[in-house]
């Protein structure tokens, strides 16, 4: 509301959007903390000091994320629609790839993202991998898609890492290995791909790289799943669904089977 009162012309909006939206950064930080707190109260496969796994309190805490995140999403969507309506009133010059947050888009795209999040949780992959194609379908430039996906990934991975670390379910040898490999790969990709895009003026290079990464991940995820299933079958392990409360503390070992080997000995 303060922002709305301060805006008089489209130039005011252009000037305002030149800067990092501090309010939105604080909002996503608070949202991440809320999700982290809910996860810690719920606990892992053995519950927590607050609730026992499988109890009524456990499910109440677990399901509380839906109304909490639903309310936050509704508030953000309402603000985006109001901002779009104000832009229309002052004659704001929309860029070619800029999203117009009408009531339809403010409900349509969040539904897509929720579906992507559910699919990512069921498949055990990063939601950013699925958000990329969604944002490309929205018409955003590949550079914006890449930066936005990385920004979202930062908050989700930070929250999840802290959660698993506190609950004692983190394989720190794997975490260290993946952190180093991921950091080096990110820096390499940032500089090399940035140089290639700047030199050849080809934004599609980012799209091509996203396509290759998603395609390769899909193939390797299928091969990995088939290999784990075969190993469990060979060792006579149960292949059906498990209860949420009967997995061992070291979740990675429980999911990978007896053939699991730590990264470092």
């Amino acid at each position: 509301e303060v922002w709305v009162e301060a805006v008089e012309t489209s130039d005011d909006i252009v000037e305002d959007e030149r800067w990092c939206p501090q309010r939105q950064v604080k909002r996503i930080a608070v949202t991440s903390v809320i999700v982290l707190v809910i996860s810690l109260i719920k606990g892992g496969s053995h519950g927590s000091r607050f609730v026992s796994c499988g109890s009524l309190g456990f499910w109440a805490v677990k399901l509380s994320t839906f109304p909490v995140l639903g309310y936050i999403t509704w508030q953000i969507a309402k603000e985006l629609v109001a901002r779009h309506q104000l832009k229309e009133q002052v004659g704001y010059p929309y860029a070619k790839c800029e999203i117009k947050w009408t009531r339809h888009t403010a409900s349509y795209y969040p539904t897509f993202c929720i579906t992507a999040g559910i699919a990512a949780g069921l498949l055990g992959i990063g939601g950013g991998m699925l958000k990329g194609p969604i944002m490309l379908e929205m018409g955003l430039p590949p550079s914006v898609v890449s930066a936005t996906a990385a920004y979202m990934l930062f908050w989700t991975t930070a929250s999840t890492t802290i959660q698993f670390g506190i609950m004692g379910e983190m394989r720190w040898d794997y975490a260290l290995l993946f952190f180093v490999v991921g950091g080096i790969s990110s820096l390499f990709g940032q500089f090399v791909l940035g140089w290639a895009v700047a030199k050849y003026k080809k934004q599609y290079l980012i799209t091509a790289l996203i396509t290759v990464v998603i395609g390769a991940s899909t193939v390797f995820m299928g091969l990995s799943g088939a290999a784990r299933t075969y190993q469990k079958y060979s060792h006579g392990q149960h292949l059906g669904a498990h209860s949420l409360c009967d997995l061992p503390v070291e979740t990675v070992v429980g999911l990978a089977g007896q053939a699991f080997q730590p990264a470092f000995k």
Side-chain angles (χ1 to χ4, degrees), residues 111-265:
T111 302
F112 256 49
C113 291
I114 292 172
T115 305
I118 294 174
L122 292 174
L123 298 174
I125 60 177
M129 185 185 301
L130 301 178
K131 296 284 185 63
I134 292 176
M135 288 187 287
L136 288 174
E137 190 274 337
M138 293 169 66
L140 294 175
S143 57
V144 175
V145 171
S146 177
T148 304
Y151 180 74
M152 291 189 295
L153 188 63
F154 166 78
W155 291 102
T156 55
T157 53
S159 177
T160 304
T161 301
I162 295 173
Q163 171 190 339
F164 275 72
I166 294 177
M167 292 191 301
E169 297 185 356
M170 175 67 72
R171 297 291 305 193
W172 292 107
D173 51 353
Y174 267 53
L176 177 60
L177 177 63
F178 289 145
F179 175 78
V180 173
V181 173
I184 294 176
S185 301
S186 297
L187 292 175
F188 179 80
Q190 178 72 22
F191 287 110
V192 174
L193 190 60
W195 169 82
V197 171
K199 180 177 181 180
Y200 298 106
K201 308 298 182 183
K202 302 294 184 181
Q203 287 283 331
Y204 73 81
L205 293 175
I206 302 177
T207 305
L209 184 60
I210 294 176
T211 303
V212 170
V213 170
I214 293 177
S217 299
T218 302
V219 173
F220 287 123
M221 184 175 63
L223 294 176
S224 176
R228 289 199 304 270
T229 301
Y230 175 76
Q231 290 172 354
K232 288 186 176 183
Y233 175 78
S234 301
H235 289 87
Q237 293 179 287
H238 178 62
L239 297 178
H242 292 271
S243 169
L244 288 174
C245 305
D246 64 3
L247 291 176
V249 176
E250 294 185 351
T251 308
V252 176
V253 180
L255 294 177
Q258 297 179 3
F260 174 82
Q261 294 293 332
F264 307 108
K265 295 184 179 179

